[in-house]
Amino acid sequence: MQQFEFTGAVLPPAAEAARGSIRAFLAEEVAAARFQPHRCTWSSFDSGFSQRLGAAGFIGITWPEEYGGQSASSLTRFVITEEILAAGSPCGAHWIADRQSGPQILRHGSERAKREILPRIARGECYFGIGMSEPGAGSDLAAVRTRAEKVEGGWSISGQKIWTTNAHHVHYMIVLARTGERGESRHEGLTQFVVDMQTPGIEVRGIRDMAGNHEFNEVFFDNCFVPDDMVLGAEGDGWALVTGELAFERSGPDRFLSDYQLLVGLIDAVGPAPDRLQAVEIGRMVAELASLRRMSTSIAGMLGRGEQPVVPAAIVKDLGTGFEQALPEVARRLVDCEPSLGAEGPFAEALAETVLRAPSFSLRGGTREILRSMIARGIGLR
Ligand SMILES: Cc1cc2nc3c(=O)[nH]c(=O)nc-3n(C[C@H](O)[C@H](O)[C@H](O)COP(=O)(O)OP(=O)(O)OC[C@H]3O[C@@H](n4cnc5c(N)ncnc54)[C@H](O)[C@@H]3O)c2cc1C
């Protein structure tokens, strides 16, 4: 049975100082009308915003200076991240690179990958996609069929990925591919590759979601060459690597602040004299948010110590996305407002967009059933 606990993490003075700096940066952005607070923050792609954020020193901050970072603590990063999300800033372009691809390269990449890629991510100029899911291999990730064959000086990848967020915009994608036999555990023979999206042999086809947006894609690889020094870790280590990457993906404030602007809008819409039901429901949501924030802060501390808090991260994602999905329902109960994309006013617009996006919150990054099955195994119930 895996032991875990959410020890309280105290934010160090440097983290609180960073809160002042990032708030000042965001206030200036809003004052200059460079962005309008967005309803579903990290779904939005704005490379100009990411470049300004990078130039101001708010991306890749936990990495060593030699790779473009500032050797800051993961708790300082946590504070910057939560402020960026709470402000409703359009932070989606660099999000995956800063959250998981960069840390994955720092831990497992070659010296060339670290030197060439990490400083560009930190400057807000280089973006990543996640190449895990395939048709027939979503929840059952070990079933991936994309193959990489050894060739002179590198590897040749052929196969298909699906639901790849921003594949049509990004510079690189970390692809999980089969390089050997599955073995009895089914987890053997997998390897992760850093694939340059400009390489010949890659075709990206867009998929529209139910709100009509083009965010995710199908990606086809046909003998796409990847040099040896763009392999992450050792050949065959892919399962351990991808599991570690998911701990970065699942535990941050982006798992409970995706629609924070709707909570702000709800509180404004209810006004200073809520009735009893409104006070109880909003109080409950705010209390839940405070608990989630403490749990997520605790995981940021664990990640900073080099631990891989796989089960605690799954708990935060399951509870956090449940919170995010409950929010539009609570908003509909408390305020008489018909969600419609053509509706007038910021609250109605925010509600409509969140209602359309909310079902995806508990799918992206691993579904609720899969997370609960991992948690059950982690606490010895399976
Ligand atoms: C907005 C969004 C963005 C995404 N971005 C990316 C991306 O950038 N890169 C990427 O690789 N993927 C991405 N995904 C894909 C996402 O990771 C998968 O959708 C997810 O892992 C589920 O896989 P699936 O869609 O194949 O569903 P399936 O695995 O087919 O599951 C269908 C249903 O069956 C349930 N189920 C499956 N197996 C079990 C089981 N053993 N026990 C109980 N229930 C089970 C699931 O919980 C789910 O409810 C994204 C998805 C969304 C919605």
Side-chain angles (χ1 to χ4, degrees):
M1 178 169 124
Q2 192 175 338
Q3 296 291 325
F4 62 86
E5 58 180 314
F6 291 94
T7 46
V10 179
L11 293 174
E16 289 302 349
R19 190 186 305 283
S21 318
I22 183 69
R23 279 190 179 173
F25 171 86
L26 292 165
E28 205 183 305
E29 287 279 300
V30 173
R34 293 198 196 102
F35 76 83
Q36 292 286 328
H38 193 270
R39 272 85 64 173
C40 290
T41 44
W42 55 287
S43 302
S44 51
F45 194 102
D46 179 342
S47 50
F49 176 79
S50 292
Q51 283 166 23
R52 293 192 296 277
L53 195 69
F58 292 115
I59 302 179
I61 62 155
T62 59
W63 311 339
E65 283 85 348
E66 59 181 315
Y67 302 126
Q70 302 165 39
S71 297
S73 76
S74 56
L75 292 171
T76 298
R77 179 179 182 275
F78 180 92
V79 166
I80 290 172
T81 310
E82 70 174 354
E83 292 292 336
I84 288 173
L85 292 165
S89 67
C91 55
H94 68 276
W95 201 253
I96 287 167
D98 181 48
R99 177 182 72 185
Q100 63 193 85
S101 318
Q104 197 73 342
I105 290 171
L106 185 65
R107 282 185 173 194
H108 307 291
S110 67
E111 196 52 36
R112 176 165 86 97
K114 289 187 219 175
R115 291 207 178 279
E116 283 186 7
I117 299 174
L118 296 181
R120 287 169 57 211
I121 297 179
R123 289 198 300 269
E125 295 167 359
C126 178
Y127 315 129
F128 268 70
I130 304 170
M132 296 186 194
S133 306
E134 296 183 6
S139 301
D140 186 12
L141 191 55
V144 293
R145 283 187 299 178
T146 294
R147 283 203 75 84
E149 305 286 348
K150 190 74 190 90
V151 293
E152 176 77 33
W155 295 79
S156 174
I157 299 186
S158 294
Q160 183 195 345
K161 296 290 170 183
I162 195 167
W163 313 126
T164 323
T165 302
N166 294 331
H168 53 314
H169 292 309
V170 299
H171 304 92
Y172 293 94
M173 188 167 148
I174 296 187
V175 172
L176 180 69
R178 188 149 284 293
T179 47
E181 294 306 316
R182 307 162 145 225
E184 260 180 45
S185 69
R186 301 171 71 242
H187 297 160
E188 293 165 35
L190 290 166
T191 307
Q192 279 194 318
F193 298 88
V194 180
V195 179
D196 182 337
M197 294 299 281
Q198 293 302 315
T199 315
I202 302 179
E203 187 190 345
V204 178
R205 292 188 203 153
I207 304 174
R208 292 215 173 265
D209 63 22
M210 70 180 180
N213 301 314
H214 172 195
E215 283 167 13
F216 42 42
N217 302 271
E218 293 177 287
V219 183
F220 297 86
F221 299 92
D222 181 13
N223 287 312
C224 166
F225 178 76
V226 183
D228 279 327
D229 56 7
M230 288 294 153
V231 174
L232 291 180
E235 178 193 340
D237 279 355
W239 186 257
L241 262 62
V242 90
T243 312
E245 181 181 340
L246 286 168
F248 283 99
E249 182 175 347
R250 286 177 172 157
S251 58
D254 40 353
R255 296 305 179 183
F256 51 90
L257 291 178
S258 300
D259 52 9
Y260 178 75
Q261 284 291 321
L262 181 62
L263 181 59
V264 174
L266 172 64
I267 292 168
D268 285 345
V270 163
D275 65 24
R276 189 172 158 68
L277 176 68
Q278 290 170 328
V280 167
E281 293 258 36
I282 291 175
R284 189 171 54 80
M285 294 309 280
V286 171
E288 214 174 299
L289 181 59
S291 311
L292 283 162
R293 182 170 176 266
R294 290 205 59 152
M295 292 168 82
S296 180
T297 316
S298 170
I299 295 184
M302 295 182 216
L303 290 170
R305 292 193 293 275
E307 297 168 26
Q308 293 207 346
V310 175
V311 173
I315 294 173
V316 168
K317 180 173 184 290
D318 184 37
L319 294 175
T321 54
F323 168 82
E324 292 180 328
Q325 286 178 330
L327 201 47
E329 293 313 311
V330 171
R332 288 173 74 169
R333 272 204 298 278
L334 298 190
V335 179
D336 185 17
C337 173
E338 194 57 40
S340 145
L341 285 176
E344 301 250 321
F347 179 72
E349 283 173 32
L351 185 58
E353 189 174 333
T354 313
V355 164
L356 284 172
R357 285 190 188 269
S360 74
F361 296 162
S362 59
L363 298 176
R364 57 185 185 185
T367 68
R368 174 165 293 133
E369 291 75 18
I370 296 306
L371 296 171
R372 290 187 179 175
S373 131
M374 286 172 55
I375 296 163
R377 198 174 302 118
I379 59 177
L381 294 176
R382 294 181 62 208

